[in-house]
């Protein structure tokens, strides 16, 4: 059972906006930044958002992140078919020695 | 271009050992924390271990403590994961990645299957 809780699935139609939530606690998201990773089918994960809301070079601005208290959120606007993937949130957890924790992942389906 | 290439995966019997390697190129390897992350078949991501730039700090997820050892050779741009006492639940694709709290660049992964 993941310490960071994500909905197992999400869906939307092309052009829509979708939000994926990530619920944590004070020891992880509450005191540290959240990151988001995208894993396309059959490929390695890719960093999508870091430091709560920063996009690495090359990530479209359709992807945005936010954090409030002990929760983080990933928003995808102008949904495209190629966005169909698994999305994982992650954060450092102060209560676990040197540990990074991942959410259970959210499978996004583009209808 | 940054490249991380894992190797060393394969089929091993329960209780056996395996050493994974991760060859880095396109980066100043010695300047980065490095991490191992695994993904069991059909499951989510799980952080396994990380190591500081000079190897002076190493951290492990509880389930592998005492069985796995992370190490690095900065002269050869290589990251290692020595896995002993392997169990069926260690079956996964193992990814190496740059970074400690944020995994910026990832390799393509190497599959470890623990089965008799």
């Amino acid at each position: 059972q993941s310490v960071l809780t994500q909905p197992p699935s999400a869906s939307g139609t092309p052009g829509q906006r979708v939000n994926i939530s990530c619920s944590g606690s004070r020891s992880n998201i509450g005191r540290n930044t959240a990151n988001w990773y995208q894993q396309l089918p059959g490929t390695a994960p890719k960093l999508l958002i870091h430091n709560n809301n920063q996009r690495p070079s090359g990530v479209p601005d359709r992807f945005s992140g936010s954090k409030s208290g002990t929760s983080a959120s990933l928003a995808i606007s102008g949904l495209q078919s190629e966005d169909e993937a698994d999305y994982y949130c992650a954060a450092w957890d102060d209560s676990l020695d040197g540990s990074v924790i991942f959410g259970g992942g959210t499978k996004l389906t583009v209808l | 271009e940054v490249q991380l290439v894992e190797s060393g995966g394969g089929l091993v019997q329960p209780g056996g050992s395996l050493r994974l390697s991760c060859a880095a190129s396109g980066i100043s390897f010695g300047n980065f924390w490095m991490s191992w992350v695994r993904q069991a078949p059909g499951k989510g991501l799980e952080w396994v271990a990380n190591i500081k730039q000079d190897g002076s700090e190493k951290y492990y997820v509880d389930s592998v403590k005492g069985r796995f050892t992370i190490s690095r050779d900065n002269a050869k741009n290589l990251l290692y994961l020595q896995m002993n006492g392997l169990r069926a639940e260690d079956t996964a694709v193992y990814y190496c990645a740059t970074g400690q709290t944020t995994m910026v660049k990832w390799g393509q992964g190497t599959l470890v299957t623990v089965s008799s």
Side-chain angles (χ1 to χ4, degrees):
Chain A
Q1 186 175 356
S2 300
V3 179
L4 300 182
T5 301
Q6 297 181 236
S9 63
S11 63
T13 55
Q16 269 191 330
R17 176 186 174 96
V18 170
N19 289 289
I20 298 173
S21 62
C22 174
S23 177
S25 65
R26 189 165 55 183
S27 65
N28 42 69
I29 294 177
R31 284 200 290 256
N32 300 291
T33 61
N35 300 319
W36 289 91
Y37 300 90
Q38 178 193 57
Q39 187 174 32
L40 297 169
T43 71
K46 165 192 164 184
L47 179 63
L48 194 66
I49 297 287
H50 65 98
N51 291 348
N52 302 323
N53 56 19
Q54 302 300 300
R55 283 186 307 277
S57 173
V59 174
D61 59 7
R62 302 186 295 104
F63 295 91
S64 61
S66 62
K67 173 184 142 175
S68 178
T70 59
S71 294
S73 184
L74 173 70
I76 309 172
S77 60
L79 199 62
Q80 299 181 4
S81 58
E82 55 261 39
D83 298 333
E84 188 160 290
D86 293 324
Y87 293 85
Y88 296 90
C89 60
W92 179 268
D93 194 300
D94 292 343
S95 68
L96 303 170
D97 187 22
S99 288
V100 172
I101 54 171
F102 287 90
T106 298
K107 182 174 181 58
L108 174 64
T109 301
V110 181
L111 302 170
Chain B
E1 180 192 359
V2 178
Q3 261 203 318
L4 299 173
V5 179
E6 301 92 337
S7 61
L11 175 64
V12 61
Q13 292 189 337
S17 298
L18 217 51
R19 188 176 85 156
L20 305 183
S21 299
C22 169
S25 60
I27 58 170
S28 296
F29 180 72
N31 290 345
F32 292 90
W33 275 81
M34 294 295 295
S35 298
W36 287 99
V37 176
R38 67 184 178 184
Q39 185 170 35
K43 302 296 184 182
L45 301 174
E46 179 184 38
W47 169 80
V48 175
N50 56 31
I51 184 169
K52 195 175 180 180
Q53 289 91 331
D54 61 358
S56 61
E57 294 181 36
K58 304 175 185 181
Y59 302 98
Y60 303 89
V61 67
D62 283 349
S63 59
V64 309
K65 283 179 182 176
R67 301 189 299 124
F68 289 13
T69 301
I70 188 172
S71 62
R72 64 192 298 162
D73 185 335
N74 288 343
K76 296 181 179 179
N77 290 354
L78 286 169
L79 174 73
Y80 302 105
L81 185 67
Q82 177 67 45
M83 305 185 295
N84 299 329
L86 283 162
R87 305 168 180 166
E89 54 265 35
D90 296 317
T91 294
V93 174
Y94 285 73
Y95 297 100
C96 66
T98 61
Q100 180 194 23
T101 60
T102 300
M103 285 70 168
V104 179
K105 296 294 184 183
W106 297 65
Q108 85 291 345
T110 187
L111 175 63
V112 172
T113 303
V114 184
S115 174
S116 54

